[in-house]
Amino acid sequence: MGESEEVVSDDGLELVDRITENRYVSLATTAGPILLLEIVFFVGALAIMLMIATMQMQDFTLVPDYGIGNFVDAVTKIQNVQAFRNTIVLSVAATVSAAIVAYPIAYFIARYGGQYKHQLAAIVIIPFWTNYVIRIYGWRMILSDEGIFNTLLIWVGVVNEPLDIVLNTRFSIWFGLLYLLLPFMILPLYSTLDGIDDSLIEAAYDLGASRRAVFSRIIFPLSIPGLMAGTIFVFIFSMGAFIVPSMMGGGIPYVGTRINYEFGFGGDWPAGAALGSVLMFLVLISLASLLRYASMEELF
């Protein structure tokens, strides 16, 4: 009797071990709750947005008259076309500019920061201690006609009247995006550059390589993952921006402001949902294109 109970007990333990070692069971118990939350709050929200985009709005009420007309309007109406053109061009410009500005900063912190490099990297995130709406409003005051920038230029004698290109223009949107999102480019680059093995650089110099050759053949290729991660962050955030074009754009069409208008004063939720859906599709295409040059493991 005792031997049979021991055999049953061993079989039961073996079955439990097999279940717990099963990768699908392990995945379900560890990632299952997170996956469930993603399905409910992300995929579910996207499904609702897509459903609303196929409906119609009559007397400020959603009508289940399904069709693709809103998607067609999202890519054919002149104001939407202008908004998508401005959004894409300014997002690309902000991303490229951020990479050009951030790379020397991240390189200096990683290679020459010495014992203070972590403190220097921490300085980069200090702006996040202040609400970004307040920071953008501050720049709006600085760049206004009566602001510090124009007042200083007039006082020095560079111009006779306030410049009209520094606020409520595409330039001001680009500048606002660059200022707001620059840390998202610096930090991934710094992390990657700081992780480069110094022995590789020393070996290259020992073999007679020049500074330019060391940078172009060792440092820059090894920093590509950080550059790609920063590019993804800055480009995606720029594409979905609302506060910057709203506060510094002066009514220039931008997808974020167009969506806000349709859901607000425009009173056309399906049109706003269609614009959001098209924007998400463009972002996904861009993300897939960028990930062709670096794997997720290298980026994060």
Side-chain angles (χ1 to χ4, degrees), residues 46 49 74 84 255 259 263 270-282:
L46 291 180
M49 181 179 70
F84 276 110
V255 176
I259 293 173
F263 276 100
L275 283 169
S277 301
V278 174
L279 178 63
M280 180 188 65
F281 180 70
L282 291 176

Side-chain angles (χ1 to χ4, degrees), residues 100-114:
I100 294 173
V101 175
Y103 203 101
I105 298 174
Y107 183 84
F108 175 82
I109 295 174
R111 309 308 303 177
Y112 300 103

Side-chain angles (χ1 to χ4, degrees), residues 141-163 166:
M141 295 177 62
I142 292 172
L143 298 176
S144 65
D145 289 347
E146 296 81 19
I148 297 174
F149 181 75
N150 277 308
T151 301
L152 181 61
L153 290 181
I154 294 175
W155 181 73
V156 173
V158 177
V159 296
N160 296 322
E161 57 183 17
L163 295 175
V166 294

Side-chain angles (χ1 to χ4, degrees), residues 52 55-65 267-270:
I52 293 176
M55 302 172 71
Q56 299 297 323
M57 200 81 170
Q58 295 180 5
D59 299 326
F60 299 99
T61 303
L62 286 173
V63 178
D65 183 12
D268 194 345
W269 291 13

Side-chain angles (χ1 to χ4, degrees), residues 131-144:
N131 186 280
Y132 65 91
V133 176
I134 297 176
R135 287 186 280 140
I136 293 301
Y137 189 76
W139 274 110
R140 180 176 175 82
M141 295 177 62
I142 292 172
L143 298 176
S144 65

Side-chain angles (χ1 to χ4, degrees), residues 15 42 75 92 106 143 175 236 257 262 272 287:
L15 179 60
F42 182 70
V75 296
V92 172
L143 298 176
F175 178 79
I236 290 179
T257 57
E262 296 294 0
L287 182 60

Side-chain angles (χ1 to χ4, degrees), residues 29 36 106 118 156 189 221-222 258-259 262 288:
T29 55
L36 180 62
H118 297 306
V156 173
L189 275 171
L222 291 177
R258 286 289 303 150
I259 293 173
E262 296 294 0

